[in-house]
Amino acid sequence: MCLGHSYLPEPLMRTIVVPIVKNKTGDTSDMGNYRPISLATTAAKVFDSLRTPVYACFLDLSKAFDLVSYDILWGKLRDAGVPAEYTALLRYWYANQRNQVRWVGALSEEYRLECGVRQGGLSSPLLFNLYVNQLIERLSSTHVGCHIDDICVNNISYADDMVLLSPSIAGLRKLLFICETYAEEQGLKYNSKKSEILVFKAPKRKPRHVPPVCLDGLPLKVVQKFKYLGHIVTSDLGDDEDIERERRALSVRGNMLARRFARCTADVKVTLFKAFCQSFYTGGLWVTYTRRTYSALRIQYNNAFRMLLRLPWRCSASKMFADAHTNDFFAIMRRKAASLLQRLRTSNNGILRVIAARPDCPILHHCMTVAIGRKK
């Protein structure tokens, strides 16, 4: 105790625990038949209610690649330290290229591009990433939005596909304002009709009302799911809809192979099957799903192989894949899980490193479970 200061004991956070009978017709003398209900203080109730939802805004840039200003792009290349020879080569390429549109065997008159990077070009996504890199830096430097430990994760981007993440509407509005300002500076424009908001629900909590969020003066639509980079994201973070998307795509590919290559040899069919039916796009990210949906995808995979090789419908799945020296469904999923684990742990990306270091990460836990062959 310090002299000259009165000592005040720390206040206790008292909680009353009331046992409630689970099964009234059961044994009331059994302690396991009771559920302890805590009647906490008001302060405890306030802290317990701070599990906030996450507001995600999926932005759509109108004709993003076509609106890139060459003068601005060459300046960004120079500021990024790209050798002058490379920049000069790109400037000459874009300044002297001539284009023609081919339609039904006919060619249009030649024209040249005044702005925009080439659609489908291998270098185009890299050039566009450089074009919007300063926007990502501005967003991250605000430290407004979601965080994983001490890492700010308020935006995730790939080329012109960006999603903003914030635990509050006020934070989301601030991030959107930064995006609008940057787009105006760089000659870009967002499409308010295709940009949408999705609210990731907090455990046992659902926002009763989502305040309006505007982009270019127009309120954005609030949706329950969004297809981002080909992966269906839902408000409850479930993967059933994305697995069903993959099952339908697999059905289309399997029917196509069986129809077009019916007269090919078995070796050719197996090679085609491996190329077209074993990708399971974003399958490594599937964590929360029902057994029914997961099993439906596995059955579709097995049936596609049977149909392609014209095998009996009731033949053993494990035997037919072993005979063809081809991975079965579970082997593919184990390889995808192991691959994702390896890439997470060796990644140089700061966000991925933080995720890989967290023992409570659900994706890591699921990948380890699948990789060692344990059933979920």
Side-chain angles (χ1 to χ4, degrees):
M1 182 185 301
C2 298
L3 296 177
H5 295 277
S6 60
Y7 173 74
L8 294 177
E10 295 183 356
L12 299 176
M13 304 293 287
R14 297 187 181 278
T15 299
I16 304 298
V17 179
V18 179
I20 303 296
V21 179
K22 294 181 180 179
N23 184 5
K24 294 183 179 179
T25 61
D27 184 4
T28 56
S29 64
D30 182 8
M31 290 188 297
N33 194 28
Y34 288 87
R35 178 181 293 107
I37 302 298
S38 299
L39 305 180
T41 61
T42 301
K45 292 179 180 178
V46 170
F47 283 113
D48 190 50
S49 68
L50 297 177
R51 289 172 296 179
T52 62
V54 173
Y55 298 91
C57 181
F58 296 88
L59 294 172
D60 182 83
L61 277 168
S62 300
K63 300 179 180 179
F65 280 25
D66 297 336
L67 296 180
V68 170
S69 169
Y70 292 148
D71 290 339
I72 296 177
L73 178 60
W74 310 143
K76 290 181 179 293
L77 288 171
R78 181 185 63 250
D79 296 340
V82 175
E85 295 81 3
Y86 293 158
T87 302
L89 178 61
L90 287 170
R91 293 185 67 167
Y92 179 85
W93 182 17
Y94 276 94
N96 292 278
Q97 67 175 339
R98 296 295 182 266
N99 305 282
Q100 288 180 285
V101 177
R102 184 173 61 189
W103 183 256
V104 195
L107 293 175
S108 70
E109 295 183 358
E110 288 188 355
Y111 66 93
R112 62 186 299 269
L113 295 177
E114 301 295 336
C115 61
V117 291
R118 299 166 57 249
Q119 293 284 353
L122 296 178
S123 63
S124 298
L126 296 175
L127 292 174
F128 188 83
N129 285 344
L130 181 62
Y131 198 78
V132 297
N133 187 59
Q134 192 177 6
L135 170 60
I136 297 173
E137 293 177 351
R138 289 186 189 180
L139 291 170
S140 301
S141 65
T142 64
H143 300 290
V144 172
C146 293
H147 287 71
I148 299 178
D149 292 341
D150 294 328
I151 303 296
C152 182
V153 192
N154 59 13
N155 73 93
I156 299 175
S157 303
Y158 179 77
D160 59 335
D161 292 301
M162 174 179 282
V163 55
L164 305 177
L165 301 170
S166 173
S168 69
I169 288 292
L172 188 63
R173 287 171 175 163
K174 183 172 183 178
L175 297 176
L176 272 174
F177 177 76
I178 295 174
C179 291
E180 288 179 295
T181 303
Y182 188 85
E184 185 177 356
E185 294 173 355
Q186 309 298 321
L188 302 174
K189 185 175 178 59
Y190 287 105
N191 187 337
S192 302
K193 295 182 179 180
K194 292 186 178 180
S195 299
E196 296 177 333
I197 291 178
L198 188 148
V199 184
F200 294 111
K201 302 172 185 176
K204 300 180 182 180
R205 288 182 60 83
K206 179 180 180 180
R208 297 180 181 177
H209 172 67
V210 180
V213 177
C214 296
L215 179 63
D216 290 334
L218 296 177
L220 299 180
K221 182 181 179 181
V222 179
V223 297
Q224 296 299 313
K225 62 181 179 180
F226 190 90
K227 194 172 186 179
Y228 182 65
L229 298 178
H231 181 88
I232 297 178
V233 183
T234 61
S235 59
D236 61 356
L237 292 176
D239 296 309
D240 278 3
E241 293 208 36
D242 194 62
I243 294 176
E244 176 60 16
R245 168 200 59 77
E246 186 62 22
R247 188 196 68 79
R248 293 180 180 180
L250 177 60
S251 175
V252 172
R253 294 193 296 269
N255 288 329
M256 179 272 295
L257 292 178
R259 184 177 64 254
R260 294 186 180 181
F261 303 96
R263 298 183 179 181
C264 293
T265 64
D267 289 342
V268 171
K269 289 180 178 180
V270 170
T271 300
L272 290 171
F273 184 83
K274 291 179 179 179
F276 286 90
C277 299
Q278 292 188 340
S279 62
F280 294 128
Y281 179 68
T282 71
L285 301 177
W286 296 336
V287 174
T288 307
Y289 50 80
T290 61
R291 288 190 176 183
R292 180 179 180 181
T293 305
Y294 198 67
S295 179
L297 177 61
R298 176 183 58 82
I299 293 172
Q300 186 72 60
Y301 177 79
N302 294 347
N303 288 341
F305 192 75
R306 290 190 181 102
M307 181 171 58
L308 180 61
L309 271 70
R310 296 186 177 182
L311 298 173
W313 289 106
R314 295 186 179 275
C315 69
S316 169
S318 57
K319 184 178 185 303
M320 70 180 184
F321 285 119
D323 291 343
H325 304 287
T326 304
N327 288 325
D328 65 4
F329 177 80
F330 294 113
I332 291 175
M333 299 313 294
R334 286 195 297 269
R335 292 181 65 178
K336 292 182 73 68
S339 174
L340 180 60
L341 277 174
Q342 191 271 338
R343 284 181 290 162
L344 278 175
R345 290 170 173 170
T346 59
S347 174
N348 293 324
N349 183 280
I351 298 175
L352 296 182
R353 284 204 306 269
V354 170
I355 294 175
R358 292 186 64 96
D360 60 342
C361 176
I363 292 181
L364 287 178
H365 175 73
H366 173 76
C367 286
M368 294 179 68
T369 300
V370 174
I372 63 178
R374 290 172 54 191
K375 293 184 178 180
K376 188 178 178 183

